[in-house]
Amino acid sequence: MEPRTLRSKDKQLGRGLGIWDGGSRPKSALPPRDQDTSTMGVSRGCLLCVKVKMFVFNLIFWLGGCGVLGVGVWLAVTQGRFATLSFSFPSLSAAGLFMATGAIIMVVGFLGCLGAATEHRCLLLTFFLVLSTLFLLELVGLLVFVTCRDKFDRYAQSNLKEGLQLYETEGNVGLTRAWDVVQNEFRCCGVQNYTDWFEVRNRTWVPESCCLQQSDICQVDSASWWKEPCYEKVKRWLGENISAMGIFAACIIVVQVLGIVFSMLMYCQVRRAEKYYD
């Protein structure tokens, strides 16, 4: 038999046994399997790297939340309802804000740590959605504040003036302390003017915290009062310290963006690994 005919028969036999492909080279099952194993090893390495980073990040995030919550509890215990100036939102105090912020950070951080440690897709997706929702709400709130800044100023001043009516009344110790501290620290009197206090007692009168030097007659002696309005002075102080506030806000944004990115990367890696084993 001719050599060409023998080679043709060998190829047909090879195709039947799964050794030959459509070309002239033999097909081996080992290289594709080795390639899959190598790819999976790289994938597991990436997953481990993202897992460690996400766990450490969320652990720091959680510890920060513990610290913020601790500050809020300390303020609540030592100062009571200190620093609440709002009439419509009496619970909007420094202690309440710190405790609420700390609790949210702790819950989100714990969710991220648990998702990273267990590699559970549901937890990772939940963490991603919660953090993304908080981030979007912050952006929306910032845009609303910027676009409605004048309306916010008018509402805030009106609300604070209504709160003056509760000064030194029963059950409003926190509001009274807050106004005294603000007027002493910023050397100001009233919301828009010291005359805002006249409506509280229906006469020419201001609290002792409005006096340059406290005395028996300083509350009725207009020559000894601070003349600058508290709202404008506090607003000016915030404007002067906007750089520090901007740095703090930027850090929060960076932390949130990193959390969103890490959670989605890990979710994709876990999903890819589960598909491989399936």
Side-chain angles (χ1 to χ4, degrees):
M1 187 178 292
E2 296 181 0
R4 184 177 299 176
T5 306
L6 290 174
R7 284 197 299 269
S8 177
K9 288 185 177 182
D10 289 341
K11 288 184 179 180
Q12 291 176 359
L13 180 62
R15 290 194 190 98
L17 295 175
I19 300 174
W20 293 84
D21 58 8
S24 59
R25 294 183 179 180
K27 181 175 67 176
S28 174
L30 292 178
R33 184 62 182 173
D34 290 341
Q35 290 175 3
D36 290 344
T37 305
S38 176
T39 303
M40 192 56 201
V42 174
S43 179
R44 288 299 302 176
C46 292
L47 177 60
L48 181 61
C49 180
V50 174
K51 176 179 179 178
V52 172
K53 288 181 179 179
M54 184 175 173
F55 184 84
V56 172
F57 159 80
N58 282 287
L59 181 61
I60 296 173
F61 199 52
W62 183 81
L63 290 174
C66 291
V68 174
L69 180 63
V71 172
V73 172
W74 175 77
L75 285 175
V77 171
T78 59
Q79 303 293 339
R81 292 171 61 195
F82 173 77
T84 174
L85 298 172
S86 176
F87 169 72
S88 300
F89 305 98
S91 60
L92 189 64
S93 62
L97 287 175
F98 273 103
M99 286 191 292
T101 304
I104 292 173
I105 292 174
M106 285 181 64
V107 170
V108 175
F110 177 76
L111 190 63
C113 285
L114 190 62
T118 60
E119 298 182 12
H120 199 285
R121 282 198 301 162
C122 184
L123 288 174
L124 292 171
L125 186 59
T126 303
F127 174 78
F128 172 80
L129 293 175
V130 169
L131 203 58
S132 299
T133 302
L134 290 175
F135 183 69
L136 290 175
L137 288 175
E138 290 168 4
L139 290 180
V140 171
L142 180 61
L143 290 175
V144 170
F145 174 77
V146 171
T147 54
C148 303
R149 194 170 183 176
D150 294 337
K151 292 182 180 179
F152 177 80
D153 278 346
R154 290 194 295 268
Y155 174 78
Q157 292 182 44
S158 174
N159 187 263
L160 290 172
K161 288 180 72 174
E162 290 179 9
L164 295 182
Q165 302 291 335
L166 302 178
Y167 185 83
E168 289 187 340
T169 58
E170 186 177 357
N172 292 287
V173 178
L175 184 142
T176 302
R177 286 182 181 178
W179 271 112
D180 287 340
V181 169
V182 168
Q183 292 182 142
N184 277 321
E185 292 295 326
F186 288 92
R187 299 182 177 183
C188 58
C189 190
V191 180
Q192 295 175 319
N193 202 313
Y194 58 84
T195 57
D196 294 337
W197 289 106
F198 294 174
E199 300 176 7
V200 176
R201 300 289 177 87
N202 293 321
R203 62 189 179 94
T204 305
W205 172 94
V206 296
E208 289 185 2
S209 54
C210 280
C211 299
L212 283 74
Q213 294 181 349
Q214 295 183 1
S215 64
D216 295 335
I217 61 171
C218 77
Q219 292 179 272
V220 294
D221 183 12
S222 60
S224 62
W225 299 341
W226 303 113
K227 298 301 189 293
E228 291 191 72
C230 289
Y231 188 84
E232 291 298 327
K233 200 154 188 182
V234 172
K235 188 177 176 181
R236 194 183 312 138
W237 177 82
L238 290 174
E240 292 172 354
N241 293 273
I242 195 67
S243 58
M245 296 174 63
I247 294 173
F248 180 72
C251 291
I252 292 177
I253 291 173
V254 169
V255 167
Q256 289 178 326
V257 170
L258 287 176
I260 292 170
V261 171
F262 284 151
S263 60
M264 183 48 62
L265 285 175
M266 189 170 179
Y267 175 84
C268 294
Q269 291 289 341
V270 170
R271 186 176 181 182
R272 188 180 304 167
E274 289 179 354
K275 283 185 176 180
Y276 176 83
Y277 285 113
D278 290 341

